[in-house]
Amino acid sequence: MAEQVRKRPKLEDILNPNEEQKLKNVHQVHSLFFIIGILCLLFILSTTKRIMYSAPDLTDKNLPFVGIEAWKDLKALNDIGPKVTGTKENEILAVSYIKKKIDNIIKRSGPVQNIQFDHQVVSGSFHLHFNPGMAAAYHGIQNLIVRVEGESSNALLINCHFDSVFGSPGANDDIANCAIMLEILSILSNRNVKNRNTIIFLFNGAEEMGLKGAHGFIAHHKWAKDCKVLINLEAAGSGGKEILFQSGPGNSWLINHYHSVRRPFAQVSSEEIFQSGVIPSDTDYRIFRDFGNMVGLDFAHFVKGYRYHTKFDHIDYLSIGNIQRTGENVLELALSIANSNDIDNFDKFDKNDLAVYFDFLGIVLVNYTKEIGSIINFIVTILAITVPFLSLKKSTASVHSKYILKEMFLGVISIFVGVAASLLICYVTAYFMDKTGHSMSWYRNTFMAIGIYSSATVWFLILAYDVFDMVFACKHSPVSLALIIQARINGVNIFWGILTVGLTVLGIRSAYLFMIVLFFNLVSTIIIYLFKLQNTVHKWLYVFLIGQIFITLWASYFKTAVTEMFIPITGRIGSKPNPDAIISVISCLTTVFIVTYFIPLTQLLKGKTLKYTVIISIFIISIFVATNTRIGFPYQDESTGNPVVQRHYLVHTTRTFYDINGHIRKSDSGILFIEWDRNCLKTIEGVTMPVQPLTLDEMCENEPFCGLPIVFSRMFMFGMKWLPTKPPKLMDYAIINTHSKTILSNDLVNYQFTINSTKLMGIYVHPRNGSELFGWSFSDQVESVVNNTYLAHIAIGVPKKPFYFDITLKTTSNVESNQPIVDVNLVTLRSDRQEDYTDGFIEIIKRFPSWSYPVPLLSGVSAYQF
């Protein structure tokens, strides 16, 4: 075949090809294939999204797990309503139901099984290392624990929590998993053989209050010392597949057991993302790992995170198929671990022995050690770059190697510049959307993120290629267009190879994501090489595109998971970050992940105009739709059957501030509005018109924590507004009943306090200038949350009165003087006293639109000086 002579085009020719460029090149394809390619990519994306929601066939009569039985328990617990720690619903109704169910299972158990039950009511305290850290204390927390005795006392612990947050029945977070555990317990109770190892089921009652139920068990229960391995069941969404997103420490052998499940869904990249702290959440896994020296596997449902921690985390939005899938997987995994020798050899495993693990489309699980992963990454990267070069070199009889090298270099530089330009244009677009008041236009209709940010990414990736082709391409290249494109594709290999090797050197296991891409392309290249297809007209292209099907499925699978996870999260990260900036970067990078190998192929299109017309039109139309139609509105109410709501916390508060002599120096009341997302302020201003919420500047200058009713340290990441109102009717909020002072030395002083306990409290301590917090009774560690202020979060399950704590201060001041050296504020938070709502508060609640989700709370703040 005669090789084509390729001239360098001019810039104007890229957009308006002249007659010379319109001359047919034997390797070129019709421009319409660009549109076909986009449609194929969208089809693959929709396919991977369906995979994310896949569930087992319930018509199979030989199912190892009976989801319909778990569904009955889920229904009963769901119908109790919100189960907040300390409320009747949690402490009496939920506990009674689970306890009765366990009693019935034990009564019906087979003669082989020895099953014991314990109802733990526990108190304690610890330091919670979480973003930022704070002390945590609890009293009267209830845990329900079942022990299925094995041949060995070494135990596998399976954990869920039955409590929920304010206003939410917690159907998926987490009573669905508790219902699954009850059914697994029922199945195990009637097996005719004992497990090799003991299995302990923990139904804990205070996860949502700062992981306190788990700590109560692992720190104080008699069976805790037997627990070596953990299966933790959680949720940060509503339905879908449960993902294995944390493992270990030292997890290679644990992942081997995960091979026993028939429907794997696991990505070590999720583990590294979660443990980086970018996701504002945590699970009981942290407690068992840090305080119990345990290793384990952490699972969570995460799709439809819009419903997470709202009233829509309800059984009506779940399916038996989801319960069936998770139940089967957990049962198979539990039996695999409990009947192995690995728990007995627990102490022999190296906790630095990390695994790389991932599933491919839920079909197969792959895992290997981190060390082997590094070797694989290096080998695949080297082969993925050298084999194409040697193949192309051979196809030109080694005569034109320098041209191949130049085109490879041009390909990799084009990708790097294109990615940088795409990130810039996406960020600029995100800034524009935010500043024009159209933030989160993709929140409800997630395809808008593709229309806006993915199209911008593709646009600038193509533009970078065309510009570099115009400026640097050889005017009279002696190699064919097919070889030029294949060389530039190898430039893409170099791009992903650099990332793979760089991440591997840094010890980041997520490098496998890019290694897989290189691997599939390597397979395609080897086939092209073996059958000598390099310089054929289109045969090489067909083989290449077949390989791209697997690459696109893999990359789209990852993009779908990341999108399903992070878009709902932007509705609960507060009003300060620009969510469009976050999603624009995620959309850009995941789009790059999918399309980079297709970008060089655009050079095969006969015309240049169509590809720009299509992609720019998609971008412009998407911007128009987002800013001028209802499609771009972020929220929708429950009438659609798919609620996507804006979250709000309304905290009706009464505050009393005391001086050092115990006299009231001021008091007031109002409603604190907490801004959960970027658009909340608009809604708050609409609700409170014509009275505008006040800023908090003056409060924050004079009072620790601004004197606000905050019990979780993370709330300071959120925007807040305060509206003065009449006080709530709340009567039983925390106050200091008695206090005493003990001078320990010239610079140390200890204060002891007794207070009337309430169900949920925050205690924050703010040493004044010249003083510092030396210690307190909540934990051995003290850590400032913000502005030299320390927070202790208190949860009370079964009431205990009075509540005692003490603090020790180190001060340069005269410890015997009558000048205050510390502020101590008590915050009470209540969600179960609707009878104490004032008419004005009820009116404010009613003003919120149907597409919002306001959570009304009552609070009392008592602020003291000592």
Side-chain angles (χ1 to χ4, degrees):
M1 181 187 297
E3 293 179 334
Q4 304 296 314
V5 177
R6 190 166 180 271
K7 296 182 179 181
R8 185 170 68 185
K10 297 179 181 179
L11 178 60
E12 59 268 21
D13 295 334
I14 293 176
L15 301 178
N16 299 292
N18 58 28
E19 292 302 317
E20 183 179 353
Q21 269 96 41
K22 290 181 181 179
L23 292 175
K24 291 184 178 180
N25 185 304
V26 69
H27 296 287
Q28 289 182 323
V29 297
H30 199 282
S31 297
L32 287 177
F33 279 98
F34 183 76
I35 297 176
I36 295 172
I38 290 176
L39 294 176
C40 289
L41 288 175
L42 293 176
F43 173 76
I44 290 175
L45 276 170
S46 66
T47 299
T48 55
K49 188 166 185 176
R50 287 195 295 272
I51 292 173
M52 205 67 64
Y53 289 87
S54 63
D57 180 10
L58 297 176
T59 61
D60 186 353
K61 295 182 179 180
N62 296 315
L63 293 172
F65 176 89
V66 186
I68 188 64
E69 293 299 322
W71 187 262
K72 294 175 184 177
D73 293 325
L74 170 59
K75 178 71 166 59
L77 289 166
N78 177 88
D79 291 348
I80 292 174
K83 293 166 283 294
V84 181
T85 300
T87 63
K88 173 185 175 183
E89 289 76 11
N90 194 66
E91 308 304 330
I92 298 177
L93 300 181
V95 168
S96 297
Y97 181 86
I98 297 173
K99 188 175 180 180
K100 182 178 179 181
K101 180 73 176 184
I102 292 170
D103 287 341
N104 289 336
I105 290 172
I106 294 175
K107 289 176 183 177
R108 298 195 310 269
S109 63
V112 174
Q113 303 300 328
N114 176 17
I115 303 177
Q116 304 169 53
F117 169 72
D118 189 48
H119 182 182
Q120 181 189 33
V121 182
V122 62
S123 302
S125 62
F126 61 102
H127 186 84
L128 180 60
H129 297 276
F130 181 61
N131 219 10
M134 63 181 183
Y138 51 93
H139 289 269
I141 297 300
Q142 298 189 83
N143 290 326
L144 304 174
I145 310 140
V146 186
R147 182 184 182 104
V148 181
E149 199 71 47
E151 295 175 0
S152 167
S153 62
N154 290 329
L156 165 68
L157 176 67
I158 308 177
N159 175 70
C160 73
H161 67 89
F162 57 83
D163 67 312
S164 65
V165 297
F166 306 120
S168 174
N172 203 184
D173 182 26
D174 191 34
I175 57 174
N177 287 319
C178 289
I180 287 168
M181 283 172 52
L182 286 170
E183 177 58 19
I184 291 174
L185 173 62
S186 179
I187 293 169
L188 296 182
S189 70
N190 285 288
R191 294 184 78 225
N192 56 11
V193 293
K194 266 192 175 185
N195 294 306
R196 178 179 179 84
N197 296 283
T198 297
I199 301 179
I200 294 176
F201 294 81
L202 170 60
F203 303 84
N204 87 68
E207 190 271 351
E208 300 293 2
M209 292 297 107
L211 318 180
K212 295 179 173 65
H215 186 270
F217 171 79
I218 204 65
H220 300 289
H221 197 271
K222 59 185 178 181
W223 293 338
K225 67 181 184 302
D226 295 332
C227 296
K228 310 300 181 184
V229 182
L230 167 72
I231 296 176
N232 188 53
L233 303 178
E234 258 294 355
S238 177
K241 299 164 66 173
E242 81 289 344
I243 187 171
L244 169 59
F245 70 103
Q246 287 194 101
S247 61
N251 55 18
S252 292
W253 67 276
L254 281 168
I255 302 301
N256 290 335
H257 285 289
Y258 189 60
H259 278 279
S260 63
V261 308
R262 65 183 68 183
R263 297 180 179 88
F265 184 31
Q267 297 288 333
V268 75
S269 57
S270 298
E271 177 176 321
E272 293 190 321
I273 289 171
F274 187 84
Q275 293 183 352
S276 71
V278 299
I279 296 177
S281 186
D282 212 339
T283 75
D284 287 326
Y285 173 90
R286 173 189 291 273
I287 299 298
F288 296 116
R289 179 195 65 196
D290 294 354
F291 293 93
N293 195 34
M294 294 179 65
V295 299
L297 303 170
D298 202 2
F299 297 89
H301 300 88
F302 69 91
V303 301
K304 293 297 180 183
Y306 308 109
R307 303 171 192 154
Y308 172 67
H309 282 189
T310 73
K311 67 180 179 181
F312 304 111
D313 184 6
H314 192 281
I315 192 172
D316 291 347
Y317 297 99
L318 299 179
S319 72
I320 298 178
N322 296 138
I323 304 300
Q324 181 69 39
R325 176 201 155 81
T326 301
E328 287 182 17
N329 281 353
V330 175
L331 175 60
E332 291 162 349
L333 177 62
L335 288 173
S336 177
I337 295 175
N339 289 290
S340 72
N341 296 324
D342 291 333
I343 297 182
D344 292 330
N345 298 320
F346 165 78
D347 294 332
K348 297 179 182 179
F349 291 109
D350 183 1
K351 289 195 174 182
N352 294 316
D353 180 24
L354 300 177
V356 177
Y357 56 88
F358 55 88
D359 73 288
F360 186 78
L361 304 179
I363 300 171
V364 61
L365 178 74
V366 179
N367 74 289
Y368 41 77
T369 65
K370 182 181 178 181
E371 290 72 22
I372 292 176
S374 297
I375 296 171
I376 292 174
N377 292 347
F378 286 125
I379 291 175
V380 171
T381 298
I382 292 170
L383 291 176
I385 295 171
T386 57
V387 170
F389 172 71
L390 294 175
S391 173
L392 294 172
K393 180 180 177 182
K394 184 176 181 180
S395 70
T396 62
S398 302
V399 175
H400 301 303
S401 298
K402 66 177 183 179
Y403 293 100
I404 299 298
L405 284 171
K406 181 175 180 179
E407 295 296 346
M408 286 168 51
F409 180 75
L410 189 61
V412 68
I413 294 298
S414 299
I415 284 292
F416 272 109
V417 172
V419 171
S422 298
L423 283 168
L424 178 61
I425 189 62
C426 285
Y427 187 84
V428 169
T429 304
Y431 182 83
F432 166 80
M433 296 297 290
D434 184 59
K435 289 301 180 182
T436 57
H438 297 97
S439 184
M440 301 176 66
S441 60
W442 32 260
Y443 187 65
R444 173 170 59 102
N445 294 309
T446 57
F447 62 83
M448 292 300 298
I450 296 176
I452 297 173
Y453 299 117
S454 294
S455 65
T457 300
V458 173
W459 175 12
F460 274 75
L461 286 172
I462 294 174
L463 183 61
Y465 248 87
D466 284 346
V467 170
F468 272 81
D469 185 70
M470 177 198 71
V471 175
F472 298 108
C474 182
K475 292 181 179 180
H476 303 287
S477 177
V479 298
S480 68
L481 179 59
L483 297 181
I484 289 172
I485 298 304
Q486 290 173 71
R488 293 189 182 177
I489 288 172
N490 201 30
V492 178
N493 288 333
I494 295 172
F495 172 79
W496 291 120
I498 291 172
L499 285 179
T500 302
V501 171
L503 293 176
T504 302
V505 170
L506 293 173
I508 298 174
R509 289 172 287 160
S510 296
Y512 77 93
L513 289 167
F514 313 123
M515 181 276 294
I516 295 298
V517 168
L518 291 170
F519 173 78
F520 281 121
N521 197 67
L522 174 61
V523 173
S524 299
T525 302
I526 291 174
I527 294 173
I528 292 170
Y529 174 73
L530 292 176
F531 289 92
K532 300 179 181 179
L533 304 177
Q534 302 93 321
N535 212 13
T536 57
V537 178
H538 290 143
K539 290 180 181 178
W540 74 268
L541 181 60
Y542 300 149
V543 173
F544 174 78
L545 290 176
I546 290 172
Q548 286 303 304
I549 292 174
F550 295 98
I551 292 176
T552 306
L553 279 169
W554 169 252
S556 298
Y557 189 56
F558 179 76
K559 177 181 174 63
T560 300
V562 169
T563 301
E564 286 285 336
M565 181 185 300
F566 277 97
I567 283 184
I569 283 175
T570 59
R572 55 183 192 270
I573 61 172
S575 59
K576 296 177 182 179
N578 176 7
D580 269 75
I582 297 170
I583 297 304
S584 70
V585 171
I586 291 174
S587 296
C588 177
L589 295 179
T590 54
T591 301
V592 167
F593 192 29
I594 294 173
V595 305
T596 44
Y597 282 105
F598 294 106
I599 300 302
L601 299 185
T602 61
Q603 298 292 311
L604 293 174
L605 299 174
K606 291 180 179 179
K608 305 292 184 182
T609 304
L610 182 62
K611 65 184 180 184
Y612 284 106
T613 301
V614 170
I615 206 70
I616 293 173
S617 296
I618 292 173
F619 177 74
I620 293 174
I621 291 171
S622 298
I623 292 289
F624 177 83
V625 169
T627 56
N628 292 277
T629 72
R630 182 73 182 176
I631 294 175
F633 186 70
Y635 316 103
Q636 64 186 16
D637 60 28
E638 59 188 304
S639 64
T640 62
N642 184 30
V644 180
V645 293
Q646 184 184 67
R647 301 161 187 260
H648 294 270
Y649 269 21
L650 290 67
V651 190
H652 196 187
T653 307
T654 182
R655 306 191 304 173
T656 307
F657 300 86
Y658 299 91
D659 62 21
I660 194 170
N661 297 313
H663 301 138
I664 296 176
R665 52 188 173 90
K666 66 176 179 179
S667 63
D668 63 7
S669 57
I671 299 174
L672 178 68
F673 296 88
I674 299 176
E675 303 167 34
W676 280 81
D677 75 27
R678 190 73 159 183
N679 299 315
C680 278
L681 183 57
K682 298 178 188 176
T683 307
I684 293 170
E685 289 176 341
V687 166
T688 58
M689 289 292 286
V691 180
Q692 291 293 328
L694 301 180
T695 64
L696 301 174
D697 295 344
E698 182 179 347
M699 297 181 191
C700 294
E701 288 179 2
N702 302 318
E703 304 294 341
F705 269 24
C706 310
L708 295 176
I710 297 173
V711 295
F712 289 108
S713 57
R714 197 174 72 85
M715 301 311 295
F716 275 95
M717 300 166 58
F718 290 33
M720 303 179 194
K721 291 294 179 287
W722 176 264
L723 177 68
T725 64
K726 293 181 179 179
K729 302 173 185 176
L730 182 68
M731 299 296 291
D732 55 342
Y733 58 91
I735 59 173
I736 293 178
N737 291 327
T738 63
H739 70 276
S740 60
K741 174 181 177 182
T742 303
I743 298 173
L744 303 177
S745 67
N746 291 334
D747 61 350
L748 288 178
V749 59
N750 177 261
Y751 291 93
Q752 304 90 39
F753 305 97
T754 58
I755 63 177
N756 60 316
S757 61
T758 59
K759 296 176 182 178
L760 177 58
M761 291 186 292
I763 299 175
Y764 40 100
V765 176
H766 177 73
R768 298 200 168 197
N769 291 339
S771 301
E772 62 178 285
L773 184 62
F774 186 77
W776 56 3
S777 56
F778 300 118
S779 65
D780 294 334
Q781 184 175 350
V782 292
E783 181 179 351
S784 174
V785 175
V786 62
N787 297 332
N788 195 37
T789 303
Y790 302 80
L791 172 64
H793 180 273
I794 319 297
I796 310 293
V798 179
K800 174 184 177 180
K801 296 181 180 181
F803 181 82
Y804 165 87
F805 73 100
D806 70 85
I807 60 174
T808 301
L809 298 168
K810 188 172 184 178
T811 179
T812 58
S813 304
N814 184 350
V815 295
E816 296 184 350
S817 72
N818 198 34
Q819 295 300 315
I821 60 173
V822 63
D823 295 281
V824 178
N825 289 16
L826 310 181
V827 176
T828 302
L829 208 58
R830 299 293 296 268
S831 64
D832 59 339
R833 292 289 293 272
Q834 296 184 18
E835 64 272 15
D836 288 345
Y837 292 175
T838 64
D839 292 340
F841 190 43
I842 293 173
E843 180 60 30
I844 289 286
I845 297 169
K846 289 180 178 178
R847 290 181 191 172
F848 277 86
S850 61
W851 42 260
S852 65
Y853 175 62
V855 178
L857 301 168
L858 299 178
S859 179
V861 176
S862 303
Y864 300 87
Q865 297 175 350
F866 297 99

